[in-house]
Amino acid sequence: MNQNLAATSFAEPTQQRWLLWLAALLLLAQGLLVYSSGWHGGFSTINDAGRLLSDRLAESLTQLGDSLLALSLFLFLAKRHPALLWQALLAALIATLLSHGIKSLAAQPRPAALLELDSFRQLGPVLRRGSYPSGHTVTAFVSAACVACYLTALWQRALLLIAALAVGFSRVAVGAHWPVDVCAGAACGLFSAYLGLLLARRWPLGLRPRVHQTVVLILAGCTLAQLFMKPEYPLARPLIVSISLLALAVAARDYLLPRLSSRTLADS
């Protein structure tokens, strides 16, 4: 995958307008779902289908939409692809403001607030408010869309977006969201990725070495903190630890070891 990524140049926005078209299609799908089945349509079908996944797999899949874990994943690409990292950071900030603003305005109840807990599969914390849009889905699509902007192979882009969609539907499978929340979260993530690209090209501050290193240090700090935090989905703990430790090891290899080597050579 890395061979098709551009290291220090930003993607061309005119070639990434597919993000906006796909976001529009998802909002259209949401509208059709609400029109045909109501605001909560499709929940039981997807939640029941999610029982095919083990509890550990369902929790691990949904944990991939966690913001801290997503930040950890970008440590794998930071050194070779600073442009991608800067776009993703700006897109994440935009997505956070946008999704939380919509959540506050919509104020939609989650499944646990309207349904009996024993009537559907519910894993992890029992959440009752802030349903629309799905924040985990926003994170998954921001991450996937930003990386997809720098890929030339259509199948690679499709694979990333399918993975992000799987994270989104896992939110329904664990009983945390309605399907409309997933559609809105995906659209929000795609739109934010496009806006992040526009802002990154206009304000390429993240390509400066010191700024880039500061961003990496922040990501490493978040990754380290994640190792000591109690996860919302305990069965996903092995996944969190594995990704965090590997991401920190990659960051140390890319940023810390070269510094230590240069100091050793200077002293000798």
Side-chain angles (χ1 to χ4, degrees), residues 175-253:
H177 282 283
W178 312 103
V180 292
D181 303 335
V182 173
C183 291
C188 180
L190 293 167
F191 182 64
S192 298
Y194 187 78
L195 290 184
L197 175 59
L198 296 180
L199 185 57
R201 287 175 63 91
R202 187 175 184 84
W203 190 46
L205 184 64
L207 297 185
R208 297 180 182 177
R210 289 188 178 181
V211 176
H212 174 76
Q213 291 167 9
T214 300
V215 171
V216 171
L217 186 61
I218 293 173
L219 296 189
C222 292
T223 302
L224 184 62
Q226 188 174 221
L227 289 171
F228 301 95
M229 296 172 61
K230 182 179 180 180
E232 289 185 333
Y233 296 91
L235 294 178
R237 179 71 178 170
L239 175 69
I240 296 171
V241 172
S242 299
I243 290 178
S244 298
L245 291 177
L246 188 55
L248 289 172
V250 169
R253 179 202 67 188

Side-chain angles (χ1 to χ4, degrees), residues 89-220:
L89 178 62
L90 295 178
L93 293 175
I94 293 170
T96 299
L97 294 173
L98 186 58
S99 61
H100 281 278
I102 296 174
K103 276 182 181 287
S104 298
L105 291 174
Q108 287 295 313
R110 295 179 186 252
L114 301 180
L115 305 174
E116 295 293 336
L117 291 181
D118 59 359
S119 67
F120 65 100
R121 187 194 199 190
Q122 201 283 322
L123 299 175
V126 179
L127 305 172
R128 291 186 167 85
R129 294 183 294 179
S131 186
Y132 183 90
S134 163
H136 282 65
T137 306
V138 172
T139 298
F141 271 86
V142 164
S143 302
C146 285
V147 176
C149 286
Y150 297 86
L151 295 172
T152 56
L154 182 60
W155 70 268
Q156 291 179 330
R157 289 184 174 185
L159 191 61
L160 274 176
L161 295 175
I162 290 172
L165 190 60
V167 173
F169 279 114
S170 76
R171 300 302 289 156
V172 183
V174 300
H177 282 283
W178 312 103
V180 292
D181 303 335
V182 173
C183 291
C188 180
L190 293 167
F191 182 64
S192 298
Y194 187 78
L195 290 184
L197 175 59
L198 296 180
L199 185 57
R201 287 175 63 91
R202 187 175 184 84
W203 190 46
L205 184 64
L207 297 185
R208 297 180 182 177
R210 289 188 178 181
V211 176
H212 174 76
Q213 291 167 9
T214 300
V215 171
V216 171
L217 186 61
I218 293 173
L219 296 189

